[in-house]
Amino acid sequence: MKQLRTKDIITILFIFITLFLFASANPIYTAINFGNSIIYQIIDPAGSGSAFSDMKQSYNENNFISGTMITLSGHMQRITGNKALFNAENIYINNDCYSVSKSDKTATDYEFEQLCMLKEALADNNIPLLYVSTPTKYTDDKYMADNYGVDSYTNRNADKLLGRLNDADINFLDLRKSAKEENKNISDMFYYCDHHWTVDSGLWATGKIAETLNSDFGFNIDMSKLNPDNYTRNDLQSCWLGEQGQMLSAANSRYDDFSKISPDFDTSFTVKSPESQMSGDFMDVFFNNKLFQESMFFYDNASFHYLYQNYSNKDISITNENIKDTKVLLISDSFSHVLTPFLATAVNNITTIDLRYTNDIPLSELLDNTYDKFDVVIICYAPYMIDRKSTRLNSSHDQI
């Protein structure tokens, strides 16, 4: 239990006075909720994470000035030096407002077994399999121990799985290694206060995947379609608050930049989902202009990472009307939202599956009678997704 200091008491009184002056909707209700989170931050930092989450939800539901309240609470966190709130949400942040998370150790047994069975099923149909491991916001787990004093197995889990895939002769692409070979600064590949990588990183990763398909599998993908020089960009500065930034509050995070990137060459696509179908050029079918143009309360705003997903999360079939070769099945997580559109410019068809939205339907059932539709199957996951039930290759635990 931490004793209150004079500056703590003064700060609490100041915040409460501010609340009563500005919280005209319901000052008593606001003061109680906000005061609860502040007091927790001072006398019980380790337990303040849940208190802040409850406060944030209450504000969003009951108070039109909730953004101000959440930001004020963030300022209080800075004053008291309380980072336990962040840690309770598995968010660790440095002085430059760069947020990271940790992963627990996992055996990787389930993923490895499922990948082996999937490889066999695909081999029976002469379809190659490529596993792609994306980077995360740090590529050495010592980063977490050195900077925050916690153990993280994010990269060690990935290393273990890839080592087992290598022994089993399953093709994989380690984009962490690719980034290192090109001397890329990993932090520049990601947003400050969101766990996703940038649009530029998605385009770069797509190029690396296409290079691998050409060199290792004999495809003939036109790499000019994935050359950044053949794209127009509109760079927007400090325009949105990432998913972790929303949890931390604007006072403890920073607004991220965003790059709107579109091809200079002619494009024509047809996108089909279980609910709808649409046709048009790259920006018509992939970029969510409605979300981009809406002015929303930023603590409720969807991540700008999803601007390149102008369709549902369910099974999607994307046909490039200008290209006749190469049909891809892409099984992936949300990192692919800025990967799929660019890959679609260079192949004839992509079918995407996000296993988090398949209602535990086994992959064998999802692929039943469809093997003849694909030239290659790509599984692309971030290391921290390993051993998460919602992303397992067969989340119902039935065999492929």
Side-chain angles (χ1 to χ4, degrees):
M1 186 74 71
K2 180 180 177 181
Q3 286 192 341
L4 296 179
R5 299 167 296 178
T6 301
K7 74 171 187 177
D8 294 333
I9 297 173
I10 294 174
T11 302
I12 291 174
L13 291 175
F14 171 77
I15 295 296
F16 271 106
I17 292 171
T18 302
L19 289 172
F20 278 104
L21 288 174
F22 293 100
S24 58
N26 192 337
I28 296 177
Y29 174 85
T30 302
I32 291 173
N33 280 278
F34 185 75
N36 178 56
S37 71
I38 296 302
I39 291 171
Y40 262 99
Q41 291 175 40
I42 294 175
I43 67 175
D44 185 18
S48 60
S50 59
F52 180 77
S53 296
D54 293 343
M55 175 205 70
K56 183 175 181 291
Q57 182 177 359
S58 296
Y59 287 161
N60 285 343
E61 293 176 353
N62 296 285
N63 199 323
F64 74 93
I65 59 167
S66 55
T68 302
M69 300 302 102
I70 295 171
T71 302
L72 284 173
S73 180
H75 282 297
M76 190 61 188
Q77 296 158 26
R78 295 183 70 89
I79 292 171
T80 60
N82 173 26
K83 292 188 177 181
L85 182 156
F86 313 149
N87 304 160
E89 300 286 346
N90 192 21
I91 300 174
Y92 299 82
I93 188 166
N94 64 16
N95 292 332
D96 202 27
C97 295
Y98 186 75
S99 64
V100 292
S101 299
K102 66 182 182 70
S103 298
D104 295 329
K105 185 177 182 180
T106 179
T108 73
D109 291 341
Y110 187 86
E111 287 74 17
F112 176 66
E113 292 168 0
Q114 292 296 306
L115 283 165
C116 288
M117 287 188 286
L118 178 59
K119 178 193 175 185
E120 291 181 6
L122 294 174
D124 291 340
N125 293 272
N126 297 313
I127 301 174
L129 170 65
L130 174 65
Y131 184 88
V132 179
S133 183
T134 73
T136 56
K137 300 182 79 170
Y138 55 94
T139 56
D140 187 340
D141 292 336
K142 283 181 79 281
Y143 173 87
M144 296 298 291
D146 292 346
N147 289 278
Y148 305 104
V150 298
D151 281 331
S152 177
Y153 288 85
T154 301
N155 292 284
R156 283 173 285 182
N157 289 339
D159 292 340
K160 186 172 185 177
L161 177 59
L162 296 183
R164 299 178 76 178
L165 296 184
N166 183 65
D167 293 340
D169 199 26
I170 295 178
N171 296 291
F172 66 86
L173 171 63
D174 186 354
L175 289 173
R176 299 172 303 165
K177 181 180 179 181
S178 301
K180 183 177 181 179
E181 290 173 347
E182 296 185 14
N183 295 316
K184 283 186 170 293
N185 186 333
I186 288 295
S187 61
D188 291 340
M189 297 179 66
F190 288 83
Y191 298 111
Y192 275 92
C193 293
D194 195 282
H195 59 287
H196 294 109
W197 55 5
T198 64
V199 181
D200 287 284
S201 297
L203 177 56
W204 169 82
T206 306
K208 291 302 174 184
I209 292 172
E211 287 177 2
T212 302
L213 293 179
N214 285 348
S215 62
D216 296 0
F217 298 95
F219 289 94
N220 190 29
I221 295 173
D222 182 359
M223 295 302 299
S224 70
K225 302 292 185 183
L226 302 172
N227 186 336
D229 292 340
N230 293 326
Y231 286 77
T232 296
R233 59 187 302 120
N234 179 15
D235 296 321
L236 307 173
Q237 307 298 315
S238 303
C239 57
W240 69 291
L241 194 60
E243 291 184 18
Q244 280 67 49
Q246 293 184 27
M247 298 177 70
L248 296 172
S249 87
N252 279 300
S253 55
R254 60 187 289 176
Y255 290 95
D256 270 299
D257 301 336
F258 182 79
S259 296
K260 187 177 179 182
I261 301 176
S262 58
D264 291 333
F265 47 88
D266 291 335
T267 56
S268 177
F269 299 95
T270 299
V271 178
K272 297 180 181 179
S273 72
E275 298 88 9
S276 63
Q277 175 175 323
M278 59 180 168
S279 299
D281 65 18
F282 183 92
M283 297 304 284
D284 290 335
V285 301
F286 294 123
F287 195 79
N288 192 331
N289 272 299
K290 183 175 184 294
L291 174 60
F292 183 67
Q293 294 171 2
E294 286 178 345
S295 177
M296 294 183 288
F297 173 47
F298 61 78
Y299 285 118
D300 260 346
N301 198 353
S303 169
F304 268 33
H305 172 78
Y306 295 95
L307 287 175
Y308 277 88
Q309 186 198 14
N310 195 23
Y311 38 78
S312 72
N313 284 309
K314 297 182 179 179
D315 304 349
I316 304 297
S317 176
I318 303 167
T319 299
N320 185 333
E321 307 295 350
N322 295 338
I323 294 181
K324 303 305 179 184
D325 299 321
T326 312
K327 295 177 173 58
V328 177
L329 171 62
L330 176 63
I331 302 170
S332 61
D333 55 28
S334 58
F335 272 45
S336 69
H337 293 330
V338 291
L339 188 156
T340 301
F342 298 116
L343 185 57
T345 66
V347 300
N348 170 252
N349 180 269
I350 299 179
T351 297
T352 67
I353 296 178
D354 188 328
L355 295 176
R356 294 172 296 179
Y357 304 100
T358 56
N359 297 319
D360 282 351
I361 299 174
L363 185 60
S364 55
E365 183 176 331
L366 290 172
L367 297 181
D368 190 32
N369 299 320
T370 64
Y371 288 108
D372 60 336
K373 296 182 180 179
F374 309 119
D375 298 314
V376 63
V377 173
I378 301 173
I379 298 178
C380 182
Y381 277 116
Y384 60 75
M385 301 299 277
I386 296 173
D387 202 38
R388 291 192 179 184
K389 180 179 183 297
S390 61
T391 61
R392 287 175 170 173
L393 298 184
N394 185 337
S395 55
S396 69
H397 290 241
D398 295 330
Q399 289 190 348
I400 296 176

